[in-house]
Amino acid sequence: DSGVTQTPKHLITATGQRVTLRCSPRSGDLSVYWYQQSLDQGLQFLIQYYNGEERAKGNILERFSAQQFPDLHSELNLSSLELGDSALYFCASSVGGTIQETQYFGPGTRLLVL
Amino acid sequence: DAKTTQPNSMESNEEEPVHLPCNHSTISGTDYIHWYRQLPSQGPEYVIHGLTSNVNNRMASLAIAEDRKSSTLILHRATLRDAAVYYCILITGGGADGLTFGKGTHLIIQP
């Protein structure tokens, strides 16, 4: 158990819909990262937040957005969903915000868009 | 981040040592070598990292070539629980960014 929690574990929705994925980092960690894992693209970094502020951006689509709240939990919002958005979405956390630090990954949310 | 090359898959027997290679011929002097692994149906987990010297921890050992163009992750006594995809990642500097995962090596452990 990494100490990172993600909800929900599974999500099934339809194309065009909007969903919100939630992540709670390990106690004491200030940085949260979001990753997408699909069969064809592998694990891809989406976005990083540190203490409430956006810190780094990866391959995040414009239809996707994220935020980190004062209690440090984070939400990833996916809108206008397409079939290709079906994937595993992982959240990770680290103490500070630098890439050298160990990242602790949650169990993931499996999203299926029908 | 500099590119790494790993075999697609490897097979080993339970309770035997496993040597997972990683080539990184374009590594720069400030690149750290990190290893993560992903067990089936789980998120990735950190295994070990190093810069120049060999490193040991409770999970594994990391052997780094003298020219740093390659490294080897060593599992001293593989168990069925070590069956996973192992990722070798080069990380540069201390700035903010996410990890860049390649395809990794799928390690199969035979009982």
Side-chain angles (χ1 to χ4, degrees):
Chain A
D1 184 356
S2 67
V4 177
T5 60
Q6 291 187 247
T7 56
K9 284 187 179 170
H10 303 276
L11 201 46
I12 302 175
T13 187
T15 55
Q17 294 298 305
R18 173 189 167 94
V19 297
T20 297
L21 313 183
R22 183 187 168 105
C23 167
S24 292
R26 292 187 325 153
S27 176
D29 284 0
L30 298 178
S31 200
V32 168
Y33 306 76
W34 285 98
Y35 292 84
Q36 178 194 58
Q37 185 170 34
S38 59
L39 281 174
D40 55 342
Q41 295 287 335
L43 260 164
Q44 294 218 359
F45 165 63
L46 296 178
I47 196 163
Q48 176 198 3
Y49 276 80
Y50 173 76
N51 205 21
E53 300 287 328
E54 183 184 303
R55 196 75 180 261
K57 237 175 181 174
N59 299 320
I60 190 166
L61 299 172
E62 282 193 17
R63 300 183 285 110
F64 295 0
S65 65
Q67 54 184 327
Q68 187 179 26
F69 295 86
D71 67 353
L72 300 177
H73 91 271
S74 177
E75 292 181 356
L76 179 67
N77 300 298
L78 315 177
S79 61
S80 303
L81 284 167
E82 302 174 359
L83 296 178
D85 297 327
S86 295
L88 265 168
Y89 291 84
F90 290 104
C91 164
S93 73
S94 66
V95 174
T98 61
I99 191 176
Q100 299 281 14
E101 297 170 39
T102 297
Q103 292 184 24
Y104 297 88
F105 285 76
T109 293
R110 187 175 294 276
L111 173 66
L112 181 58
V113 182
L114 299 175
Chain B
D1 291 326
K3 189 173 170 59
T4 63
T5 304
Q6 299 177 253
N8 288 335
S9 66
M10 288 184 64
E11 202 166 309
S12 183
N13 294 319
E14 200 176 8
E15 300 188 5
E16 289 185 358
V18 179
H19 291 235
L20 295 163
C22 180
N23 286 319
H24 29 78
S25 58
T26 59
I27 191 170
S28 75
T30 55
D31 284 341
Y32 280 79
I33 303 159
H34 286 238
W35 284 80
Y36 281 75
R37 72 179 184 180
Q38 186 173 19
L39 278 65
S41 302
Q42 294 188 29
E45 66 173 342
Y46 167 81
V47 178
I48 200 168
H49 78 278
L51 182 62
T52 56
S53 305
N54 295 345
V55 184
N56 301 296
N57 66 20
R58 63 174 182 81
M59 287 180 72
S61 295
L62 178 60
I64 302 172
E66 202 166 324
D67 64 3
R68 302 211 324 126
K69 291 183 187 292
S70 66
S71 60
T72 303
L73 179 70
I74 303 165
L75 307 178
H76 294 286
R77 202 158 164 260
T79 68
L80 295 177
R81 201 199 168 273
D82 291 319
V85 178
Y86 287 78
Y87 299 97
C88 170
I89 303 169
L90 298 186
I91 295 178
T92 303
D97 205 350
L99 298 172
T100 301
F101 289 87
K103 295 195 182 300
T105 296
H106 183 199
L107 177 64
I108 300 163
I109 304 294
Q110 297 289 355

